[in-house]
Amino acid sequence: MTTVNLDPLDLSALLCSRVCHDVISPVGAIVNGLEVLEDEDDASMRDFAIDLIRKSARQASARLQFARLAFGAAGSAGASIDLADAEKVSRGMFADEKTQLAWSAPQALYPKNKVKLLLNLVVIATSAIPRGGLIDVVVTGDGEAPSLVLKAKGSHARIPPHVESLIAGTPEGGTVDAHGILPYYAGLVARAAAMDVRFTIDGDEVTVRAEPVAAASPAAQAPSLEASRPSDSEPPETALA
């Protein structure tokens, strides 16, 4: 199938839609809590509203911090992100969710696009266990040739629909909508980072594995691979932050 290359404006619009979708619920809850404080004199209701505002504000902040690393430039003038920061925003993202997160990774700086890929795969892994469960993240190897393995285990586990074709950049119908933008973007980041992403399922456990693309022969080696350009630079077809 032909690889789909989104117009940069369409890519930006869909990613913005994704971020807004993630934060609109807790922000709406904050607004509701403030309305209760304005209209209610009952002490128990005011306490409930304050608790709702506090919880929702934490949730909105966690989601924005996660999006900043997973989708944005992360304020980085260089090309590296600390894996400890990736763990922190991931744990914050799922602090109040039905999904638990286990994390095993070196305390080190890794190339930006490889860390962004890891964070996007964490979100994809959560969609593999719609009823919740455990996501076990293991990062091994150095920053230039890491192995990223995510195991999502839970009831009714399944490889998310169309995720493999979206990551490959060959979505069914040849179009990408707001529902498919995250795996499509993950595929862009994977290619920018010269990483190959694979999915397998065994019973109630889905494994997502990302590893460096196998070295091609000198005659066939693609110039867009990460090793052949400055670390984590933008892919030629679509600019990544």
Side-chain angles (χ1 to χ4, degrees), residues 21 25 29 32 34 43 50 65 67 69 75 77 91 97 106 115 124 139 152-153 171 174 201 207 210 214 221 237:
H21 174 272
S25 178
N32 292 338
L34 291 172
I50 291 172
Q65 289 182 58
L69 282 186
R91 292 194 181 281
E97 298 291 337
V115 179
I124 292 171
V139 179
K153 186 172 184 178
I201 184 169
T207 299
Q221 198 166 19
E237 70 274 11

Side-chain angles (χ1 to χ4, degrees), residues 147-168:
S147 174
L148 316 177
V149 179
L150 298 86
K151 294 182 181 292
K153 186 172 184 178
S155 175
H156 292 75
R158 80 281 194 275
I159 297 175
H162 314 301
V163 69
E164 292 170 292
S165 60
L166 284 163
I167 285 181

Side-chain angles (χ1 to χ4, degrees), residues 129-221:
I129 43 175
R131 298 193 179 185
L134 172 67
I135 297 176
D136 186 16
V137 179
V138 178
V139 179
T140 56
D142 60 29
E144 296 308 313
S147 174
L148 316 177
V149 179
L150 298 86
K151 294 182 181 292
K153 186 172 184 178
S155 175
H156 292 75
R158 80 281 194 275
I159 297 175
H162 314 301
V163 69
E164 292 170 292
S165 60
L166 284 163
I167 285 181
T170 57
E172 293 184 17
T175 59
V176 182
D177 59 17
H179 296 290
I181 188 58
L182 192 144
Y184 176 83
Y185 178 75
L188 290 177
V189 179
R191 288 187 286 280
M195 297 286 283
D196 181 55
V197 180
R198 303 284 179 178
F199 291 78
T200 57
I201 184 169
D202 182 13
D204 62 356
E205 183 175 270
V206 173
T207 299
V208 187
R209 186 181 300 272
E211 295 178 322
V213 174
S217 62
Q221 198 166 19

Side-chain angles (χ1 to χ4, degrees), residues 83-84 86-87 102-108 110 118 137-141 147-148:
L83 283 176
E87 178 183 3
W103 189 283
S104 176
Q107 297 292 311
Y110 270 44
L118 174 62
V137 179
V138 178
V139 179
T140 56
S147 174
L148 316 177

Side-chain angles (χ1 to χ4, degrees), residues 48-91:
F48 170 79
I50 291 172
D51 185 63
L52 176 65
I53 292 169
R54 184 183 297 112
K55 178 180 178 181
S56 299
R58 284 198 304 265
Q59 189 177 61
S61 176
R63 292 184 179 186
L64 286 172
Q65 289 182 58
F66 185 92
R68 179 173 174 264
L69 282 186
F71 308 134
S76 56
S80 298
I81 297 175
D82 195 329
L83 283 176
D85 291 337
E87 178 183 3
K88 180 180 178 181
V89 299
S90 295
R91 292 194 181 281

